[in-house]
Amino acid sequence: MNKIITISRQYGSGGREIGAKLAQKLGIPFYDNEIITRAAKDSGFSEAVFENAEKKASNSLLYSIAMGMNAYGNQDIGFTHLSLDDQIYIAQSNVIRKVAQEGPCVIVGRCADYVLRDYKNVVNVFIWADLEFRKNRAIQLYQLKENKAEEEILKIDKSRANYYNYHASEKWGKAENYHLSIKSDCIGIDNSVDCILQFLEYCERGISSGK
Amino acid sequence: MNKIITISRQYGSGGREIGAKLAQKLGIPFYDNEIITRAAKDSGFSEAVFENAEKKASNSLLYSIAMGMNAYGNQDIGFTHLSLDDQIYIAQSNVIRKVAQEGPCVIVGRCADYVLRDYKNVVNVFIWADLEFRKNRAIQLYQLKENKAEEEILKIDKSRANYYNYHASEKWGKAENYHLSIKSDCIGIDNSVDCILQFLEYCERGISSGK
């Protein structure tokens, strides 16, 4: 299997666990938010990359707005510097591209589907689930308080959607952005892993066997 | 298997063919746009239904706007009558609910996922594909002219999205509306059918086997 699998997921849907188990079954590396962020911080190449990205980004209206500029593009209020959020995004994207070049792997979050949009061997998966299922998981696994769980879940989902919509200029959770999308509470974590495995197997076999 | 499967699909993605083959493999009835529209026309119960729906709908701002009313809700310009499009939608929705009550089946299009949103045993599937794949299918299967195919595909998709967004007050193609979403050009028609079959099998087995 020569594929890079990216997983986008609603908070509490089990997307991270599905990704980890999938990587284990395939015997390939697994990267989540935490690992990518750490690697981005440790990377020596980030400063040079920031400079290039800055030049490119300074021409964009979107970036100007994000930098908090006024309508006249006044350079005094931060034209030449990217926000910390954008700097982190660029460093993370470089890590994602680097690990993708190294070979097959599973990457969870961080707009990896968008970062790798020009790669031919990428399969993008979206995992979502009922709020009730996600609440139960969040309470059990992430020690969220029962009376706060729903609010917290919706807040995190909103922040994931905003992050994706801003950086990828695309809609988070739009079926068309993913090769496969699964409602995990219907079939559970392990069956979701098997569903993805079967899809990957079909991809490998090629369309000829599936007409 | 005690499931009703609804299929929403981009034009040319093979969703209809996938639905037909799925129904055949499961040995259950198959309903597409054409069959539902014909049944709605033939149904004797539509007139009475229209009257009830009319009363309900006349309170809604959305319907008022759809009926071409002015801002003051002037009844002279059609307050008491639903548009033909809305009448057809209601008759079709009744057919969908009727066939769903009869037992397991596959229903393609006509906002069936939304019409059956309160049914517990429904699995909603979305099928989409690359434009190139859809163009080739549309040219081969629906005799679209090569230089007009892309324009026609995008027009039909837009009309499907508008139809769904209007009647279902939801976004067409949002991953969260479907239990399973598949990019059919990656794996082909027959493998997409098998993917859905496996998903259904997992649903039947229940979450206990998949944690």
Side-chain angles (χ1 to χ4, degrees):
Chain A
M1 209 247 353
N2 185 30
K3 292 273 187 268
I4 292 144
I5 301 116
T6 78
I7 297 187
S8 307
R9 74 288 177 226
Q10 287 186 337
Y11 183 71
S13 67
R16 196 192 160 281
E17 190 179 339
I18 289 169
K21 287 189 170 178
L22 182 69
Q24 198 179 23
K25 279 207 174 184
L26 290 167
I28 60 177
F30 169 73
Y31 304 100
D32 66 359
N33 273 358
E34 222 174 286
I35 299 168
I36 291 167
T37 305
R38 203 164 50 232
K41 278 184 189 162
D42 295 346
S43 67
F45 62 91
S46 49
E47 271 174 19
V49 167
F50 290 161
E51 267 188 18
N52 284 330
E54 200 171 48
K55 280 178 201 152
K56 213 170 147 192
S58 60
N59 294 321
S60 145
L61 177 64
L62 190 67
Y63 268 86
S64 309
I65 294 164
M67 294 311 111
M69 289 177 63
N70 63 26
Y72 308 101
N74 190 332
Q75 295 192 18
D76 293 338
I77 54 166
F79 189 79
T80 54
H81 293 290
L82 285 171
S83 72
L84 184 62
D85 180 59
D86 286 325
Q87 289 181 40
I88 292 169
Y89 173 75
I90 291 164
Q92 286 173 338
S93 300
N94 279 299
V95 170
I96 289 169
R97 276 186 285 265
K98 190 170 167 281
V99 300
Q101 272 151 18
E102 282 167 5
C105 58
V106 176
I107 309 171
V108 174
R110 301 292 97 187
C111 303
D113 59 319
Y114 182 76
V115 173
L116 302 176
R117 64 193 176 281
D118 294 329
Y119 286 60
K120 293 281 171 230
N121 58 335
V122 175
V123 171
N124 302 317
V125 178
F126 186 74
I127 304 291
W128 74 283
D130 264 350
L131 192 56
E132 207 51 36
F133 177 85
R134 303 199 281 139
K135 265 170 74 174
N136 288 338
R137 276 183 66 87
I139 292 165
Q140 274 174 31
L141 298 177
Y142 309 126
Q143 285 77 48
L144 255 59
K145 284 187 181 155
E146 201 168 344
N147 59 343
K148 290 277 178 190
E150 186 168 333
E151 193 187 329
E152 188 65 15
I153 285 170
L154 298 177
K155 207 174 88 184
I156 294 174
D157 271 359
K158 199 170 179 186
S159 111
R160 283 183 185 174
N162 285 343
Y163 183 87
Y164 189 87
N165 301 348
Y166 169 65
H167 287 295
S169 312
E170 264 287 354
K171 276 278 170 204
W172 188 67
K174 192 174 141 191
E176 251 188 272
N177 291 334
Y178 312 101
H179 298 79
L180 184 67
S181 165
I182 296 173
K183 187 171 190 285
S184 57
D185 60 297
C186 297
I187 60 173
I189 302 300
D190 290 345
N191 288 333
S192 296
V193 174
D194 288 345
C195 246
I196 300 171
L197 280 172
Q198 195 190 18
F199 185 85
L200 291 170
E201 204 185 300
Y202 287 145
C203 286
E204 286 291 294
R205 275 198 231 162
I207 201 158
S208 59
S209 71
K211 281 180 197 165
Chain B
M1 210 247 352
N2 184 31
K3 292 273 186 269
I4 292 144
I5 301 116
T6 78
I7 297 187
S8 307
R9 75 287 176 228
Q10 286 186 338
Y11 182 71
S13 67
R16 197 192 160 280
E17 190 179 338
I18 289 168
K21 287 189 170 179
L22 182 69
Q24 198 178 22
K25 280 206 174 187
L26 289 167
I28 59 178
F30 170 73
Y31 304 101
D32 66 359
N33 274 358
E34 221 173 287
I35 299 167
I36 291 168
T37 305
R38 202 164 52 233
K41 277 185 190 161
D42 295 346
S43 68
F45 62 91
S46 49
E47 269 173 21
V49 167
F50 289 162
E51 266 188 19
N52 283 331
E54 199 170 49
K55 280 177 201 153
K56 216 170 146 192
S58 61
N59 293 320
S60 145
L61 176 65
L62 190 67
Y63 267 88
S64 309
I65 293 164
M67 295 311 112
M69 289 177 63
N70 63 26
Y72 308 101
N74 189 334
Q75 296 192 18
D76 293 340
I77 55 167
F79 188 79
T80 54
H81 293 290
L82 287 171
S83 73
L84 184 62
D85 180 57
D86 286 324
Q87 290 181 39
I88 292 169
Y89 173 75
I90 291 164
Q92 285 173 339
S93 300
N94 279 299
V95 170
I96 288 169
R97 276 187 286 264
K98 190 168 168 281
V99 298
Q101 272 151 18
E102 282 167 6
C105 59
V106 176
I107 309 171
V108 174
R110 301 294 96 187
C111 304
D113 59 320
Y114 183 76
V115 173
L116 302 176
R117 66 194 175 281
D118 293 329
Y119 286 59
K120 294 283 172 224
N121 59 334
V122 175
V123 171
N124 302 317
V125 178
F126 186 75
I127 304 290
W128 74 283
D130 264 350
L131 192 56
E132 207 50 39
F133 177 85
R134 302 199 280 139
K135 265 170 74 174
N136 288 338
R137 275 184 66 88
I139 291 164
Q140 274 174 30
L141 298 176
Y142 310 124
Q143 285 77 47
L144 255 59
K145 283 186 183 158
E146 202 168 343
N147 59 344
K148 291 277 180 191
E150 186 168 331
E151 192 187 331
E152 188 65 14
I153 285 171
L154 297 177
K155 207 175 88 186
I156 294 173
D157 270 359
K158 199 170 178 183
S159 112
R160 283 183 186 175
N162 285 343
Y163 183 86
Y164 189 88
N165 301 348
Y166 169 64
H167 287 295
S169 311
E170 264 286 355
K171 276 276 169 204
W172 188 67
K174 193 173 141 191
E176 253 189 90
N177 291 334
Y178 313 100
H179 298 78
L180 185 67
S181 165
I182 297 173
K183 187 170 189 287
S184 57
D185 60 296
C186 296
I187 60 173
I189 301 301
D190 291 344
N191 288 333
S192 297
V193 174
D194 287 344
C195 247
I196 301 170
L197 280 172
Q198 195 190 17
F199 185 85
L200 291 170
E201 205 184 299
Y202 287 145
C203 287
E204 287 291 294
R205 276 197 231 163
I207 202 160
S208 59
S209 71
K211 283 181 196 166

PDB file of all heavy atoms in Angstrom, chain A residues 110-126:
ATOM      1  N   ARG A 110      -4.930  19.039  11.422  1.00  0.00           N
ATOM      2  CA  ARG A 110      -4.013  20.048  10.873  1.00  0.00           C
ATOM      3  C   ARG A 110      -4.184  20.302   9.387  1.00  0.00           C
ATOM      4  O   ARG A 110      -3.200  20.551   8.680  1.00  0.00           O
ATOM      5  CB  ARG A 110      -2.544  19.668  11.152  1.00  0.00           C
ATOM      6  CG  ARG A 110      -2.142  19.490  12.614  1.00  0.00           C
ATOM      7  CD  ARG A 110      -2.171  20.766  13.374  1.00  0.00           C
ATOM      8  NE  ARG A 110      -3.459  20.881  14.093  1.00  0.00           N
ATOM      9  CZ  ARG A 110      -3.846  21.960  14.759  1.00  0.00           C
ATOM     10  NH1 ARG A 110      -3.119  23.022  14.773  1.00  0.00           N
ATOM     11  NH2 ARG A 110      -4.998  22.005  15.396  1.00  0.00           N
ATOM     12  N   CYS A 111      -5.411  20.225   8.872  1.00  0.00           N
ATOM     13  CA  CYS A 111      -5.696  20.485   7.444  1.00  0.00           C
ATOM     14  C   CYS A 111      -4.827  19.637   6.528  1.00  0.00           C
ATOM     15  O   CYS A 111      -4.527  20.063   5.403  1.00  0.00           O
ATOM     16  CB  CYS A 111      -5.455  21.938   7.073  1.00  0.00           C
ATOM     17  SG  CYS A 111      -6.351  23.165   8.006  1.00  0.00           S
ATOM     18  N   ALA A 112      -4.404  18.451   6.983  1.00  0.00           N
ATOM     19  CA  ALA A 112      -3.465  17.656   6.182  1.00  0.00           C
ATOM     20  C   ALA A 112      -4.029  17.359   4.788  1.00  0.00           C
ATOM     21  O   ALA A 112      -3.285  17.347   3.798  1.00  0.00           O
ATOM     22  CB  ALA A 112      -3.127  16.361   6.903  1.00  0.00           C
ATOM     23  N   ASP A 113      -5.346  17.144   4.693  1.00  0.00           N
ATOM     24  CA  ASP A 113      -5.954  16.878   3.379  1.00  0.00           C
ATOM     25  C   ASP A 113      -5.713  18.049   2.427  1.00  0.00           C
ATOM     26  O   ASP A 113      -5.439  17.867   1.250  1.00  0.00           O
ATOM     27  CB  ASP A 113      -7.454  16.579   3.513  1.00  0.00           C
ATOM     28  CG  ASP A 113      -8.217  17.729   4.166  1.00  0.00           C
ATOM     29  OD1 ASP A 113      -7.696  18.317   5.140  1.00  0.00           O
ATOM     30  OD2 ASP A 113      -9.326  18.054   3.705  1.00  0.00           O
ATOM     31  N   TYR A 114      -5.814  19.266   2.979  1.00  0.00           N
ATOM     32  CA  TYR A 114      -5.620  20.452   2.143  1.00  0.00           C
ATOM     33  C   TYR A 114      -4.138  20.672   1.835  1.00  0.00           C
ATOM     34  O   TYR A 114      -3.776  20.966   0.694  1.00  0.00           O
ATOM     35  CB  TYR A 114      -6.214  21.681   2.849  1.00  0.00           C
ATOM     36  CG  TYR A 114      -6.093  22.933   2.017  1.00  0.00           C
ATOM     37  CD1 TYR A 114      -6.939  23.155   0.928  1.00  0.00           C
ATOM     38  CD2 TYR A 114      -5.123  23.888   2.304  1.00  0.00           C
ATOM     39  CE1 TYR A 114      -6.819  24.292   0.151  1.00  0.00           C
ATOM     40  CE2 TYR A 114      -4.999  25.034   1.527  1.00  0.00           C
ATOM     41  CZ  TYR A 114      -5.852  25.236   0.451  1.00  0.00           C
ATOM     42  OH  TYR A 114      -5.727  26.356  -0.324  1.00  0.00           O
ATOM     43  N   VAL A 115      -3.298  20.493   2.853  1.00  0.00           N
ATOM     44  CA  VAL A 115      -1.853  20.681   2.670  1.00  0.00           C
ATOM     45  C   VAL A 115      -1.344  19.745   1.558  1.00  0.00           C
ATOM     46  O   VAL A 115      -0.499  20.122   0.748  1.00  0.00           O
ATOM     47  CB  VAL A 115      -1.092  20.434   3.993  1.00  0.00           C
ATOM     48  CG1 VAL A 115       0.418  20.462   3.775  1.00  0.00           C
ATOM     49  CG2 VAL A 115      -1.496  21.463   5.046  1.00  0.00           C
ATOM     50  N   LEU A 116      -1.878  18.536   1.521  1.00  0.00           N
ATOM     51  CA  LEU A 116      -1.402  17.522   0.565  1.00  0.00           C
ATOM     52  C   LEU A 116      -2.314  17.407  -0.667  1.00  0.00           C
ATOM     53  O   LEU A 116      -2.346  16.366  -1.332  1.00  0.00           O
ATOM     54  CB  LEU A 116      -1.303  16.157   1.262  1.00  0.00           C
ATOM     55  CG  LEU A 116      -0.379  16.103   2.491  1.00  0.00           C
ATOM     56  CD1 LEU A 116      -0.446  14.732   3.147  1.00  0.00           C
ATOM     57  CD2 LEU A 116       1.058  16.439   2.109  1.00  0.00           C
ATOM     58  N   ARG A 117      -3.048  18.471  -0.977  1.00  0.00           N
ATOM     59  CA  ARG A 117      -4.066  18.387  -2.035  1.00  0.00           C
ATOM     60  C   ARG A 117      -3.491  18.065  -3.414  1.00  0.00           C
ATOM     61  O   ARG A 117      -4.198  17.555  -4.276  1.00  0.00           O
ATOM     62  CB  ARG A 117      -4.903  19.666  -2.082  1.00  0.00           C
ATOM     63  CG  ARG A 117      -4.114  20.925  -2.463  1.00  0.00           C
ATOM     64  CD  ARG A 117      -4.941  22.166  -2.168  1.00  0.00           C
ATOM     65  NE  ARG A 117      -4.205  23.410  -2.419  1.00  0.00           N
ATOM     66  CZ  ARG A 117      -3.303  23.933  -1.602  1.00  0.00           C
ATOM     67  NH1 ARG A 117      -2.997  23.317  -0.480  1.00  0.00           N
ATOM     68  NH2 ARG A 117      -2.705  25.068  -1.892  1.00  0.00           N
ATOM     69  N   ASP A 118      -2.201  18.355  -3.626  1.00  0.00           N
ATOM     70  CA  ASP A 118      -1.617  18.079  -4.943  1.00  0.00           C
ATOM     71  C   ASP A 118      -0.928  16.713  -5.008  1.00  0.00           C
ATOM     72  O   ASP A 118      -0.403  16.335  -6.054  1.00  0.00           O
ATOM     73  CB  ASP A 118      -0.624  19.181  -5.324  1.00  0.00           C
ATOM     74  CG  ASP A 118      -1.339  20.514  -5.526  1.00  0.00           C
ATOM     75  OD1 ASP A 118      -2.522  20.479  -5.945  1.00  0.00           O
ATOM     76  OD2 ASP A 118      -0.745  21.561  -5.238  1.00  0.00           O
ATOM     77  N   TYR A 119      -0.917  15.986  -3.901  1.00  0.00           N
ATOM     78  CA  TYR A 119      -0.319  14.649  -3.890  1.00  0.00           C
ATOM     79  C   TYR A 119      -1.328  13.652  -4.454  1.00  0.00           C
ATOM     80  O   TYR A 119      -2.509  13.684  -4.102  1.00  0.00           O
ATOM     81  CB  TYR A 119       0.061  14.239  -2.455  1.00  0.00           C
ATOM     82  CG  TYR A 119       1.278  14.947  -1.901  1.00  0.00           C
ATOM     83  CD1 TYR A 119       1.305  16.334  -1.785  1.00  0.00           C
ATOM     84  CD2 TYR A 119       2.391  14.230  -1.476  1.00  0.00           C
ATOM     85  CE1 TYR A 119       2.418  16.988  -1.274  1.00  0.00           C
ATOM     86  CE2 TYR A 119       3.509  14.878  -0.951  1.00  0.00           C
ATOM     87  CZ  TYR A 119       3.512  16.258  -0.853  1.00  0.00           C
ATOM     88  OH  TYR A 119       4.609  16.902  -0.333  1.00  0.00           O
ATOM     89  N   LYS A 120      -0.833  12.755  -5.309  1.00  0.00           N
ATOM     90  CA  LYS A 120      -1.753  11.821  -5.969  1.00  0.00           C
ATOM     91  C   LYS A 120      -2.157  10.649  -5.076  1.00  0.00           C
ATOM     92  O   LYS A 120      -3.209  10.061  -5.258  1.00  0.00           O
ATOM     93  CB  LYS A 120      -1.094  11.267  -7.257  1.00  0.00           C
ATOM     94  CG  LYS A 120      -0.882  12.317  -8.332  1.00  0.00           C
ATOM     95  CD  LYS A 120      -2.175  12.621  -9.087  1.00  0.00           C
ATOM     96  CE  LYS A 120      -2.021  13.824 -10.022  1.00  0.00           C
ATOM     97  NZ  LYS A 120      -3.072  14.820  -9.867  1.00  0.00           N
ATOM     98  N   ASN A 121      -1.277  10.276  -4.144  1.00  0.00           N
ATOM     99  CA  ASN A 121      -1.501   9.048  -3.377  1.00  0.00           C
ATOM    100  C   ASN A 121      -2.098   9.282  -1.985  1.00  0.00           C
ATOM    101  O   ASN A 121      -1.774   8.596  -1.029  1.00  0.00           O
ATOM    102  CB  ASN A 121      -0.200   8.248  -3.252  1.00  0.00           C
ATOM    103  CG  ASN A 121       0.887   9.081  -2.587  1.00  0.00           C
ATOM    104  OD1 ASN A 121       0.847  10.308  -2.649  1.00  0.00           O
ATOM    105  ND2 ASN A 121       1.824   8.424  -1.930  1.00  0.00           N
ATOM    106  N   VAL A 122      -2.976  10.297  -1.905  1.00  0.00           N
ATOM    107  CA  VAL A 122      -3.570  10.625  -0.602  1.00  0.00           C
ATOM    108  C   VAL A 122      -5.037  10.194  -0.568  1.00  0.00           C
ATOM    109  O   VAL A 122      -5.765  10.380  -1.540  1.00  0.00           O
ATOM    110  CB  VAL A 122      -3.452  12.145  -0.320  1.00  0.00           C
ATOM    111  CG1 VAL A 122      -4.177  12.515   0.958  1.00  0.00           C
ATOM    112  CG2 VAL A 122      -1.990  12.555  -0.243  1.00  0.00           C
ATOM    113  N   VAL A 123      -5.451   9.599   0.538  1.00  0.00           N
ATOM    114  CA  VAL A 123      -6.863   9.264   0.755  1.00  0.00           C
ATOM    115  C   VAL A 123      -7.339  10.036   1.989  1.00  0.00           C
ATOM    116  O   VAL A 123      -6.795   9.870   3.082  1.00  0.00           O
ATOM    117  CB  VAL A 123      -7.055   7.740   0.965  1.00  0.00           C
ATOM    118  CG1 VAL A 123      -8.485   7.431   1.403  1.00  0.00           C
ATOM    119  CG2 VAL A 123      -6.732   6.978  -0.313  1.00  0.00           C
ATOM    120  N   ASN A 124      -8.335  10.896   1.786  1.00  0.00           N
ATOM    121  CA  ASN A 124      -8.843  11.724   2.879  1.00  0.00           C
ATOM    122  C   ASN A 124     -10.106  11.109   3.478  1.00  0.00           C
ATOM    123  O   ASN A 124     -11.047  10.793   2.753  1.00  0.00           O
ATOM    124  CB  ASN A 124      -9.163  13.128   2.368  1.00  0.00           C
ATOM    125  CG  ASN A 124      -7.953  13.797   1.738  1.00  0.00           C
ATOM    126  OD1 ASN A 124      -6.852  13.711   2.280  1.00  0.00           O
ATOM    127  ND2 ASN A 124      -8.137  14.432   0.588  1.00  0.00           N
ATOM    128  N   VAL A 125     -10.096  10.976   4.801  1.00  0.00           N
ATOM    129  CA  VAL A 125     -11.226  10.357   5.503  1.00  0.00           C
ATOM    130  C   VAL A 125     -11.808  11.362   6.496  1.00  0.00           C
ATOM    131  O   VAL A 125     -11.068  12.104   7.142  1.00  0.00           O
ATOM    132  CB  VAL A 125     -10.757   9.088   6.259  1.00  0.00           C
ATOM    133  CG1 VAL A 125     -11.913   8.462   7.038  1.00  0.00           C
ATOM    134  CG2 VAL A 125     -10.153   8.076   5.288  1.00  0.00           C
ATOM    135  N   PHE A 126     -13.138  11.377   6.600  1.00  0.00           N
ATOM    136  CA  PHE A 126     -13.803  12.213   7.612  1.00  0.00           C
ATOM    137  C   PHE A 126     -14.578  11.303   8.561  1.00  0.00           C
ATOM    138  O   PHE A 126     -15.274  10.392   8.124  1.00  0.00           O
ATOM    139  CB  PHE A 126     -14.765  13.207   6.937  1.00  0.00           C
ATOM    140  CG  PHE A 126     -15.380  14.211   7.879  1.00  0.00           C
ATOM    141  CD1 PHE A 126     -14.629  15.267   8.370  1.00  0.00           C
ATOM    142  CD2 PHE A 126     -16.710  14.110   8.272  1.00  0.00           C
ATOM    143  CE1 PHE A 126     -15.182  16.204   9.245  1.00  0.00           C
ATOM    144  CE2 PHE A 126     -17.281  15.049   9.144  1.00  0.00           C
ATOM    145  CZ  PHE A 126     -16.517  16.100   9.618  1.00  0.00           C
TER     146      PHE A 126
END
